[in-house]
Amino acid sequence: MLTSIIGYPRIGNLRELKFASEKYFRGEITPEKLEETAKEIRRYNRTIQKNNGLDFIPSNDFSFYDGVLDTAFMLNVVPQRYTALRLSALDTYFAAARGYQGENGDVKALAMKKWYNTNYHYMVPEIDDRTEIKLVGTKPFEFFLEAAEDGISTEPVVIGAYTFLKLARYTGEKTAKDFVDSIAAAYSELLRKFGELGTKWIQIDEPSLVMDMTAEDITLFVSLYEKILADKNGVKVLVQTYFGDVRDGYDQLCELDFDGIGLDFVEGKKSLELVKTKSFPKDKVLFAGVVNGKNIWRNNYAHTLDIVLELKQFAGNLVLNTSCSLLHVPCTLANETKLSESVKKHFAYAEEKLAELAELKAIFSLDHPAEAEEYCRNAALHSEPRINENREVRDKIAHLTDSDFFRQPEFKEREKIQKERFCLPLLPTTTIGSFPQTKEVKAARTALRKGELSQEDYEKFIKKKIKECVALQEEIGLDVFVHGEFERNDMVEYFGECLDGYIFTEKAWVQSYGTRCVKPPVIWGDIKRAKPMTVKWSVYAQSLTDKPMKGMLTGPVTILNWSFPREDISLKESAFQIALAIREEVLDLEANGIRIIQVDEAALREKLPLRRSDWREDYLDWAIKAFRYVHSGVRCETQIHTHMCYSEFSDIIKEIDDMDADVITFEASRSDLTILDVLQKNNFRTEVGPGVYDIHSPRIPSKEEIKAAIDKMVERIPVSKLWINPDCGLKTRGNEETVPSLKHLVGAAIEARAAIHSPSSTFGL
Ligand code: GLN
Ligand code: ZN
């Protein structure tokens, strides 16, 4: 039995790639220096995989920003607006990734979307009628040769043609099927070149196969691979799927001329059943994803052994694999110096998963695996009691009734009462919560952690920042204020630190998008609010102004989705436990005079099952309830806001309304405001603040640009329901761009108001 992984984290054990890239963006290092860092990371990754005895070592899983963007560049799918900048190849790539504003022009970044059900984000390729898909990139070959020079034979990884065409956005008349011939030719060419280089196996990632597939999708998939696999040039082709099962396309996968099929036995609810009922082709290798690529718990060998024994009856050729790329877990436990051994022994990050694969391989080659010492040690680990139970919390959750999920009075009545209470101007302006987390803010937190700054001085510093932030908002002229979230390292970690049941890591960074990484905390036991979490900051901020100050909390579903969850209780149970804790905080804020409370559900969509048929039952039913439980206890005049980091909720629009918030803000600027039509069509009830500019890019939107966005909104949404805000928190931005951007935002809102009030306006009030 051999071992394989689907991909390895590319940020570096200590986020070296992030820091080097950011230096490069600031013009502090040369492209050569950046490339050197990247090369070191790739070499380290290969070496560690080799040293752990991994049989299939991937290459081309490295990326400077995102693998889908790399594929787009490889296939010549680069919108003309980026090439027209006449920048170097690397800078053209970064312009598409991050937008560009400088001597050579002013363009926005490509749209960015969530990668299936993960917290990773990819850049959406844009295809127009003039796009000519052909193989132009050389990166996969270079990485393959780079590894070969080190004496390591690798398996190049590329995103597959089907997935690429499914993820792309078509801006002209043409659609996916118009590109079948050209993209198939490009992949054939790829195989031909790899054949010449003597590559044994290539891994083609097709995660879109785990989505619901229509008959048309199946046809598209089959027609692509009939062409691509017509001449493999001596290269064996593994088609790799992950994040679910391939129930719709399993038969075709088996029939096509693939040499290996990669299936996910962790998230794929039906993977095992498919193999058992439909069997598995004798002439193909089954790459069995049995080691969870998304969570940090040690593998349960007994459970894995059961699956492998079953699979062996159907597939003679089995490779032990991870369930998805290890991109979604942190790099190594080696840098976790503060966690106790009793905790660490339950964890496996990417590097430890390599060791697990090696151990599993060794055990499974024995006649009696269950007698192996490693197997017994693993069984003992998994039978250890480690969960701190909280009876009180469990009882409360067990006794929730329907009325706990209903806020009184109903929406319309609250809306009226709140309009009278707040007397806000039309098109009220606000921000999403955080203000720039400058070097100074981060340095203060580091100093506190290192003991160089006392708790008291740290708090003084935060108060000073809040005061500045309030003054700045007064100066800019916003209507509803925020305190700026300077006390927060991260919108989930901060809350986790105030909750019993959480464990924190030091270096468990995972890439979220580009150079942005997150460090998800770990849910270890039952969750309970240990102390007030935000009250003193919000109350202090409110004391500085008469404008309403939004209390700022992270919602239960997002906290859960951005943590490494427990595997011993259901996600629903964990979500309700967190909801109870946030509810207590909401009531505390209200009791302390905070009139507007925002509960961010930035990641609500994140864990939405990939298949529609699973949405309600497996997820939405409890996720929406958890949110409703958070705010069902507040008074009618308290306004509840929520925020989501994307606009893709056309398909769950009813459920979003069903969260029963009073106001929702969300990302809209990157997706051409198409969401507005959906809101209009559905008579969306909740008041809305569709982001009027993109905060993920450093470019400063002009007042005219924002005004144009507002005009579009006003056409489709009743003005009485519209809010004006950026599309997300400002923490990743600098003050240089934030202040002018917000001034433009307020200026645009003022102009829009005037236009509405003018006698010629068609927008009756
Ligand atoms: N309130 C948070 C902030 O402004 C929301 C962040 C987010 O949606 N990712 O930072
Ligand atoms: Zn956001």
Side-chain angles (χ1 to χ4, degrees):
M1 205 178 288
L2 302 178
T3 54
S4 175
I5 62 169
I6 295 175
Y8 202 77
R10 54 230 183 181
I11 52 173
N13 282 355
L14 295 168
R15 290 181 293 161
E16 292 85 350
L17 185 64
K18 170 198 172 69
F19 297 120
S21 304
E22 287 173 351
K23 273 193 191 143
Y24 177 68
F25 299 155
R26 290 192 300 264
E28 291 165 18
I29 60 168
T30 61
E32 291 75 29
K33 183 82 193 127
L34 174 61
E35 181 49 57
E36 210 174 284
T37 305
K39 198 165 177 177
E40 273 167 30
I41 292 172
R42 293 194 294 268
R43 171 166 296 151
Y44 175 88
N45 288 355
R46 287 193 299 265
T47 311
I48 190 125
Q49 290 166 38
K50 171 117 187 152
N51 292 348
N52 274 285
L54 192 70
D55 298 300
F56 289 87
I57 295 177
S59 60
N60 196 42
D61 52 342
F62 176 85
S63 173
F64 274 113
Y65 205 91
D66 164 52
V68 180
L69 186 63
D70 295 356
T71 314
F73 273 72
M74 176 182 95
L75 296 172
N76 196 37
V77 182
V78 183
Q80 205 254 337
R81 61 180 182 276
Y82 301 116
T83 47
L85 292 170
R86 310 226 154 271
L87 300 166
S88 69
L90 184 65
D91 288 346
T92 309
Y93 173 84
F94 282 135
R98 315 171 59 236
Y100 175 90
Q101 196 168 38
E103 279 166 21
N104 295 27
D106 180 2
V107 285
K108 292 187 196 173
L110 285 172
M112 187 167 70
K113 271 194 194 161
K114 261 174 49 58
W115 180 239
Y116 302 91
N117 54 1
T118 71
N119 182 28
Y120 177 77
H121 300 74
Y122 70 95
M123 307 305 303
V124 182
E126 220 175 272
I127 299 183
D128 62 36
D129 291 349
R130 287 168 312 169
T131 304
E132 193 192 335
I133 299 189
K134 58 183 180 191
L135 182 70
V136 293
T138 52
K139 182 171 93 77
F141 312 115
E142 285 159 20
F143 291 160
F144 177 78
L145 291 171
E146 176 187 279
E149 268 171 36
D150 283 355
I152 299 183
S153 138
T154 57
E155 174 201 29
V157 177
V158 290
I159 287 168
Y162 174 72
T163 293
F164 185 80
L165 289 181
K166 290 301 285 182
L167 297 181
R169 190 171 145 223
Y170 300 85
T171 58
E173 301 288 310
K174 291 188 183 170
T175 61
K177 56 181 186 315
D178 297 308
F179 294 94
V180 167
D181 288 341
S182 56
I183 200 169
Y187 280 84
S188 297
E189 174 72 4
L190 188 85
L191 287 180
R192 194 183 62 73
K193 287 203 175 154
F194 273 124
E196 280 169 10
L197 296 177
T199 309
K200 292 196 194 74
W201 278 88
I202 170 168
Q203 173 186 315
I204 300 189
D205 284 3
E206 288 289 10
S208 281
L209 294 176
V210 309
M211 311 287 287
D212 287 320
M213 287 175 86
T214 60
E216 210 179 313
D217 290 333
I218 305 251
T219 309
L220 176 66
F221 173 66
V222 171
S223 58
L224 283 168
Y225 280 95
E226 275 175 355
K227 293 192 170 69
I228 296 171
L229 301 174
D231 182 4
K232 294 186 281 187
N233 230 293
V235 183
K236 290 192 173 170
V237 177
L238 157 66
V239 58
Q240 182 64 56
T241 68
Y242 37 85
F243 304 142
D245 62 64
V246 292
R247 65 188 88 150
D248 299 328
Y250 186 77
D251 294 339
Q252 288 75 15
L253 270 176
C254 293
E255 280 156 22
L256 285 161
D257 195 20
F258 292 112
D259 302 278
I261 301 179
L263 302 178
D264 175 354
F265 292 94
V266 174
E267 282 191 277
K269 278 207 292 196
K270 301 216 162 158
S271 297
L272 192 56
E273 188 187 317
L274 282 170
V275 174
K276 279 162 73 175
T277 55
K278 298 184 175 239
S279 196
F280 189 84
K282 297 277 161 292
D283 58 336
K284 299 194 200 308
V285 183
L286 173 56
F287 286 71
V290 289
V291 169
N292 193 338
K294 275 191 183 169
N295 213 340
I296 44 97
W297 305 105
R298 284 223 162 260
N299 186 269
N300 184 328
Y301 290 0
H303 177 66
T304 302
L305 182 61
D306 284 347
I307 299 175
V308 168
L309 289 178
E310 286 209 78
L311 290 177
K312 268 191 165 170
Q313 298 173 25
F314 302 92
N317 254 325
L318 207 64
V319 173
L320 294 175
N321 202 4
T322 52
S323 64
C324 60
S325 167
L326 296 176
L327 174 73
H328 308 292
V329 288
C331 293
T332 174
L333 269 174
N335 295 320
E336 296 291 357
T337 56
K338 300 213 175 92
L339 288 178
S340 72
E341 277 312 313
S342 61
V343 167
K344 270 207 281 194
K345 68 182 180 187
H346 291 279
F347 289 178
Y349 296 174
E351 198 169 313
E352 292 74 30
K353 286 182 197 282
L354 296 175
E356 275 190 333
L357 280 166
E359 206 162 85
L360 286 166
K361 172 174 156 179
I363 294 172
F364 292 167
S365 67
L366 301 171
D367 289 337
H368 303 286
E371 287 166 18
E373 196 191 317
E374 295 84 355
Y375 183 95
C376 299
R377 211 181 314 126
N378 183 270
L381 182 75
H382 282 278
S383 61
E384 238 177 58
R386 67 169 168 82
I387 300 304
N388 323 6
E389 257 195 40
N390 188 315
R391 269 286 124 217
E392 190 196 329
V393 168
R394 292 206 174 194
D395 283 350
K396 245 192 188 145
I397 302 291
H399 291 106
L400 290 177
T401 63
D402 274 357
S403 64
D404 289 306
F405 302 108
F406 278 92
R407 182 173 171 200
Q408 299 293 356
E410 59 101 41
F411 180 87
K412 261 216 169 94
E413 208 170 311
R414 293 184 332 244
E415 194 179 30
K416 210 170 95 219
I417 295 169
Q418 290 167 16
K419 287 252 185 268
E420 277 164 21
R421 178 183 199 195
F422 294 108
C423 283
L424 293 168
L426 206 57
L427 308 177
T429 55
T430 190
T431 62
I432 307 303
S434 58
F435 267 66
Q437 286 255 342
T438 52
K439 272 203 186 117
E440 184 199 13
V441 176
K442 287 184 191 149
R445 201 154 35 244
T446 308
L448 172 73
R449 204 178 54 229
K450 289 191 177 152
E452 292 158 8
L453 191 69
S454 68
Q455 182 68 30
E456 203 189 327
D457 286 342
Y458 175 72
E459 296 200 357
K460 258 193 217 147
F461 169 78
I462 297 290
K463 282 193 166 166
K464 184 182 112 208
K465 294 305 296 176
I466 292 177
K467 199 167 185 175
E468 285 167 14
C469 185
V470 171
L472 178 65
Q473 293 172 84
E474 299 277 10
E475 183 203 321
I476 294 171
L478 289 152
D479 300 307
V480 171
F481 284 15
V482 297
H483 73 283
E485 301 181 25
F486 303 106
E487 77 285 7
R488 297 183 196 178
N489 38 4
D490 171 274
M491 65 185 286
V492 169
E493 183 164 359
Y494 178 79
F495 289 93
E497 277 168 2
C498 308
L499 296 170
D500 286 342
Y502 260 99
I503 280 199
F504 293 89
T505 63
E506 230 176 308
K507 295 277 161 28
W509 294 100
V510 179
Q511 188 178 21
S512 170
Y513 68 87
T515 58
R516 177 141 178 85
C517 300
V518 293
K519 187 154 67 74
V522 181
I523 305 183
W524 179 266
D526 287 342
I527 300 296
K528 167 103 184 80
R529 186 178 86 137
K531 54 180 185 206
M533 304 185 274
T534 62
V535 177
K536 75 172 166 221
W537 305 122
S538 291
V539 168
Y540 172 69
Q542 182 66 85
S543 76
L544 302 170
T545 177
D546 293 333
K547 295 275 177 75
M549 177 64 60
K550 285 196 272 189
M552 201 55 66
L553 305 173
T554 304
V557 186
T558 298
I559 294 188
L560 175 68
N561 286 351
W562 283 349
S563 302
F564 288 113
R566 282 165 72 168
E567 287 177 348
D568 63 323
I569 62 170
S570 68
L571 292 176
K572 172 182 170 176
E573 179 88 13
S574 276
F576 280 19
Q577 290 186 0
I578 302 167
L580 172 60
I582 302 298
R583 177 189 170 92
E584 287 171 6
E585 185 73 9
V586 163
L587 294 173
D588 216 349
L589 283 168
E590 183 185 58
N592 282 282
I594 301 300
R595 295 168 282 170
I596 302 185
I597 301 166
Q598 179 172 313
V599 183
D600 292 330
E601 281 294 15
L604 183 96
R605 222 199 129 89
E606 202 138 297
K607 295 286 158 68
L608 195 63
L610 294 173
R611 288 175 187 275
R612 231 198 158 100
S613 46
D614 299 335
W615 282 6
R616 286 223 70 107
E617 210 175 302
D618 286 3
Y619 184 71
L620 285 172
D621 282 349
W622 57 258
I624 303 299
K625 269 184 154 178
F627 184 86
R628 292 175 68 116
Y629 182 45
V630 164
H631 69 89
S632 63
V634 298
R635 293 195 296 266
C636 55
E637 67 270 25
T638 299
Q639 193 168 67
I640 298 293
H641 289 214
T642 187
H643 165 72
M644 290 181 189
C645 287
Y646 45 82
S647 62
E648 277 200 24
F649 47 71
S650 318
D651 40 13
I652 51 168
I653 197 99
K654 290 275 178 260
E655 283 82 1
I656 303 282
D657 239 357
D658 225 25
M659 290 164 74
D660 204 21
D662 298 305
V663 181
I664 177 172
T665 57
F666 53 87
E667 190 248 78
S669 56
R670 274 194 172 201
S671 41
D672 292 342
L673 302 166
T674 39
I675 182 69
L676 300 179
D677 296 322
V678 182
L679 297 176
Q680 186 182 29
K681 224 178 12 238
N682 285 277
N683 269 323
F684 197 65
R685 182 188 68 172
T686 317
E687 293 186 10
V688 288
V692 291
Y693 78 87
D694 173 17
I695 65 89
H696 302 89
S697 160
R699 69 183 285 285
I700 299 169
S702 66
K703 186 167 84 177
E704 291 65 37
E705 194 178 324
I706 297 179
K707 171 71 169 37
I710 299 178
D711 287 346
K712 276 197 197 163
M713 293 173 191
V714 168
E715 271 168 33
R716 293 171 180 80
I717 294 169
V719 282
S720 63
K721 283 201 185 284
L722 255 188
W723 288 66
I724 307 300
N725 44 264
D727 72 351
C728 195
L730 302 162
K731 61 181 163 243
T732 55
R733 294 272 63 90
N735 282 317
E736 321 75 73
E737 63 254 30
T738 296
V739 176
S741 297
L742 290 178
K743 285 188 173 161
H744 294 170
L745 179 146
V746 169
I750 290 173
E751 275 181 21
R753 276 172 209 154
I756 290 166
H757 286 291
S758 85
S760 60
S761 165
T762 46
F763 303 102
L765 296 174

